[in-house]
């Protein structure tokens, strides 16, 4: 039972039938999704096949520098994606998101790899790269939510923030309520998922392991580690990015920047 | 005690020059048609937005030599629609004293209550949720809050716009008695020309 059932080329080709179902719905109801569906399916096949080959190589090489290079690349892509998902934020440097993601995922990833899972060597790509993938995927969503909320809160609370400034508040003091809301926005989805995991949702990683033939009790242990490490990484990532960002809302003289103010006479 | 000479462009349009010298005890009334940057001038003087260039002095001290957070307490801007915070009227009055710059000053609850009474704000409002106040009550509450932080100069933006006649008279009486204390002066933007104040000066805004 501890064996992965193989999926042959023909069996994989059958999975395309599932796309036909989606495609039929999309075209019958004229959802305008057909092109995206076809393109998305092709990309799924191509991207994942390439990743499969790449991972095979990376796992064979077992080289620390290669692992660092791959995780840096993943973090950069995640940072670019995160700053694009923030409709309330005018052009934001991906570098800051990159630094926040890097610091949080490297810290949490190292703890998990060195102290909890402890593979030999500790940077074993078979362990470290999937861990980084999960950390980055979730942190990316978290920091995007936090960053977006920081700007929308600052805009909505501009009168309060300015009132605090007139009481002699520093930008840091004046932005406290918005910071807190931004952190809550980034961290809430992850914390909520801790509540329902196993009841409402079976996480993808655990499902994957079980499908792959692992003992469910071991899969559950891994999943617990994964959930907790994701929560920590999201919290640190949001905290860092919000900390890097709040000064961007203020001028050098510590006043709110004009783009956050509603039009007035 | 307060001198300024500034150029600025409200709404990025025509450039306006404003200069004045305000002595202690005086009120400088800023007069101009609406949309010509009266609010902008007050906000610039409060360092809530930048001027194109110019100089400002408070008691002969250059404004740039004073940290912005201290400046904004000394030269205090009271917005036309003042921001109220979550919590009671009392919480709102105490709010400034949670800020580090003001945290060494005590919050004088009795002084606050006396000022409220002078401004016709009934004492039962003290515990009431501040966000349920009417516009006129909110404006007077914010004025009490501004008086409590003891600025040198008040920048008052349409402070009586939401007030009825009796409250307006009470407002001017409180402002006048505040101005009689040494080291105080005010700038006032107002459409109603019934200021009921002594020591008025008028500043007409114009393009240079």
């Amino acid at each position: 039972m501890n064996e992965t059932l193989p999926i042959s080329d023909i069996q994989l080709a059958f999975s395309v039938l599932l796309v036909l179902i989606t495609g039929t719905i999309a075209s019958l109801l004229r959802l305008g999704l057909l092109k995206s569906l076809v393109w998305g399916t092709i990309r799924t096949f191509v991207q994942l096949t390439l990743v499969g080959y790449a991972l095979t190589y990376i796992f064979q090489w077992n080289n620390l520098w290669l692992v660092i290079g791959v995780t840096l690349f993943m973090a950069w892509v995640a940072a670019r994606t995160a700053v694009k998902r923030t409709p309330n934020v005018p052009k934001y440097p991906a570098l800051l998101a990159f630094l926040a993601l890097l610091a949080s995922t490297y810290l949490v990833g190292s703890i998990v790899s060195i102290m909890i899972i402890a593979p030999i060597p500790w940077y074993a790509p078979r362990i470290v790269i999937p861990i980084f993938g999960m950390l980055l995927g979730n942190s990316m969503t978290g920091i995007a939510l936090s960053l977006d909320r920081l700007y929308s809160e600052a805009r909505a609370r501009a009168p309060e923030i300015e009132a605090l400034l007139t009481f002699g508040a520093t930008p840091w003091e004046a932005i406290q309520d918005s910071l807190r809301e931004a952190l809550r926005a980034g961290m809430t989805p992850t914390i909520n998922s801790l509540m329902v995991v196993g009841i409402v949702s079976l996480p993808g990683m655990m499902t994957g392991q079980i499908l792959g033939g692992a003992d469910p009790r071991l899969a559950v242990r891994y999943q617990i580690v994964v959930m907790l490490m994701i929560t920590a990484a999201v919290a640190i990532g949001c905290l860092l990015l919000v900390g890097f960002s709040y000064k961007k809302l203020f001028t050098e003289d510590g006043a709110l920047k004009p783009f956050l103010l509603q039009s007035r006479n | 005690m307060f001198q300024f000479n500034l150029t600025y462009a409200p709404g990025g349009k025509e450039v306006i020059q404003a200069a004045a010298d305000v002595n202690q005890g005086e009120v400088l009334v800023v007069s101009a048609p609406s949309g010509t940057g009266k609010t902008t001038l007050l906000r610039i003087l409060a360092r809530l937005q930048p001027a194109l260039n110019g100089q400002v002095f408070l008691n002969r001290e250059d404004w740039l030599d004073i940290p912005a957070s201290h400046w904004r307490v000394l030269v205090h801007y009271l917005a036309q629609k003042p921001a109220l915070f979550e919590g009671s009227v009392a919480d709102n009055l105490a709010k400034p004293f949670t800020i580090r710059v003001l945290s060494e000053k005590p919050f004088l609850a009795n002084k606050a209550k006396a000022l409220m009474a002078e401004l016709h704000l009934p004492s039962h409002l003290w515990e009431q949720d501040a966000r349920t106040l009417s516009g006129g009550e909110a404006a007077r509450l914010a004025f009490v809050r501004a008086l409590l932080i003891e600025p040198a100069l008040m920048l008052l933006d349409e402070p009586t716009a939401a007030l009825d006649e009796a409250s307006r008279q009470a407002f001017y009486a409180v402002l006048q008695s505040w101005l009689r204390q040494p080291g105080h002066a005010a700038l006032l933007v107002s459409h109603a020309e019934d200021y009921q104040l002594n020591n008025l000066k008028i500043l007409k805004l114009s393009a240079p």
Side-chain angles (χ1 to χ4, degrees):
Chain A
M1 120 175 212
N2 276 353
E3 229 173 87
T4 309
L5 295 171
I7 296 180
S8 69
D9 289 349
I10 295 173
Q11 286 166 315
L12 188 61
F14 276 135
S15 67
V16 176
L17 286 176
L18 300 170
V19 180
L20 289 181
I21 297 176
T22 324
T24 311
I25 295 172
S27 59
L28 278 183
L29 298 178
R30 294 188 197 141
L31 302 180
L33 290 173
L34 208 54
K35 208 172 141 193
S36 307
L37 178 68
V38 172
W39 184 229
T41 306
I42 294 170
R43 282 190 60 161
T44 300
F45 270 86
V46 173
Q47 285 168 198
L48 288 181
T49 306
L50 289 178
V51 166
Y53 280 113
L55 287 179
T56 310
Y57 273 105
I58 293 165
F59 291 174
Q60 277 168 0
W61 276 48
N62 219 2
N63 177 303
L64 175 62
W65 298 110
L66 189 60
V67 172
I68 291 177
V70 170
T71 49
L72 285 177
F73 175 72
M74 288 161 70
W76 177 247
V77 175
R80 291 281 304 268
T81 312
V83 297
K84 275 187 208 154
R85 285 194 197 163
T86 50
N88 286 303
V89 183
K91 56 180 176 8
Y92 189 89
L95 185 64
L96 288 183
F98 177 66
L99 292 176
L101 284 175
L102 213 56
S104 63
T105 54
Y106 266 61
L107 178 69
V108 174
S110 309
I111 292 173
V112 170
S113 183
I114 295 171
M115 293 171 59
I116 302 177
I117 301 180
I120 298 168
W122 63 269
Y123 53 82
R126 180 180 287 278
I127 303 292
V128 170
I129 288 177
I131 284 178
F132 267 82
M134 286 184 286
L135 289 175
L136 283 168
N138 288 278
S139 301
M140 173 180 83
T141 312
I143 64 166
L145 288 170
S146 267
L147 186 62
D148 200 52
R149 182 61 77 85
L150 179 65
Y151 278 70
S152 63
E153 284 288 321
R155 210 174 257 125
R157 291 172 188 260
E160 286 172 52
I161 293 170
E162 287 203 325
L164 288 168
L165 293 175
T166 67
F167 304 154
T170 58
W172 173 248
E173 288 176 302
I175 200 73
Q176 283 300 307
D177 289 341
S178 306
L179 283 186
R180 220 167 277 125
E181 284 304 317
L183 288 177
R184 288 162 58 95
M187 290 165 62
T188 301
T190 317
I191 291 175
N192 283 347
S193 70
L194 290 178
M195 308 281 180
V196 299
V197 67
I199 303 172
V200 178
S201 65
L202 276 188
M205 188 218 71
M206 195 173 97
T207 313
Q209 271 188 310
I210 295 171
L211 286 176
D215 180 344
R217 287 168 300 179
L218 183 60
V220 161
R221 286 172 171 250
Y222 267 90
Q223 189 61 44
I224 291 172
V225 172
V226 164
M227 299 289 292
L228 299 182
M229 77 182 189
I230 284 172
T231 315
V234 169
I236 298 169
C238 291
L239 194 63
L240 287 174
L241 191 62
V242 161
F244 292 156
S245 308
Y246 83 92
K247 280 194 174 163
K248 291 183 163 296
L249 304 168
F250 294 89
T251 64
E252 271 180 47
D253 201 32
L256 265 189
K257 282 190 179 165
F259 76 89
L260 296 165
L261 305 171
Q262 276 108 17
S263 62
R264 59 158 60 78
N265 296 330
Chain B
M1 86 177 232
F2 188 68
Q3 295 87 27
F4 62 91
N5 186 350
L6 297 166
T7 54
Y8 60 99
K13 290 173 292 185
E14 57 180 317
V15 174
I16 288 177
Q17 182 176 16
D21 187 343
V22 188
N23 298 314
Q24 83 171 12
E26 279 182 343
V27 180
L28 182 71
V29 176
V30 183
S31 159
S34 57
T36 50
K38 299 189 294 289
T39 295
T40 307
L41 175 61
L42 296 192
R43 290 173 52 83
I44 289 170
L45 291 172
R47 284 166 73 169
L48 290 173
Q49 64 187 73
L52 292 175
N53 58 57
Q55 281 182 306
V56 182
F57 294 93
L58 176 68
N59 298 323
R60 294 199 188 82
E61 208 173 345
D62 191 318
W63 67 343
L64 299 180
D65 292 337
I66 301 177
S69 52
H70 285 89
W71 177 267
R72 295 190 187 109
V73 172
L74 289 169
V75 179
H76 182 70
Y77 172 67
L78 194 54
Q80 183 180 352
K81 281 191 182 151
L84 296 183
F85 297 87
E86 241 177 71
S88 66
V89 164
D91 293 337
N92 267 271
L93 292 170
K95 185 81 177 177
F97 302 94
T98 63
I99 303 297
R100 196 170 43 84
V101 170
L102 287 171
S103 60
E104 282 170 21
K105 278 191 191 179
F107 167 54
L108 303 171
N110 286 332
K111 184 179 172 188
K113 285 176 179 167
L115 285 166
M116 280 176 65
E118 285 181 55
L119 289 163
H120 302 178
L121 288 169
S123 57
H124 68 80
L125 291 182
W126 187 255
E127 292 295 333
Q128 191 169 318
D129 183 347
R131 292 187 171 176
T132 64
L133 298 185
S134 71
E137 289 169 334
R140 282 172 285 163
L141 171 63
F143 184 49
V144 173
R145 191 167 64 185
L147 290 165
L148 291 175
I149 74 172
E150 297 181 326
L153 191 92
M154 286 248 204
L155 304 167
L156 301 164
D157 195 353
E158 300 277 3
T160 60
L163 302 187
D164 59 28
E165 187 48 40
S167 315
R168 192 173 298 158
Q169 284 180 10
F171 169 84
Y172 282 121
V174 172
L175 178 60
Q176 190 70 70
S177 83
W178 180 77
L179 286 165
R180 274 196 289 269
Q181 296 163 29
H184 290 172
L187 263 72
L188 177 65
V189 166
S190 178
H191 278 109
E193 299 203 343
D194 58 343
Y195 310 119
Q196 306 168 22
L197 292 167
N198 307 321
N199 286 329
L200 280 184
K201 264 186 192 171
I202 308 284
L203 171 69
K204 289 206 187 298
L205 294 179
S206 59

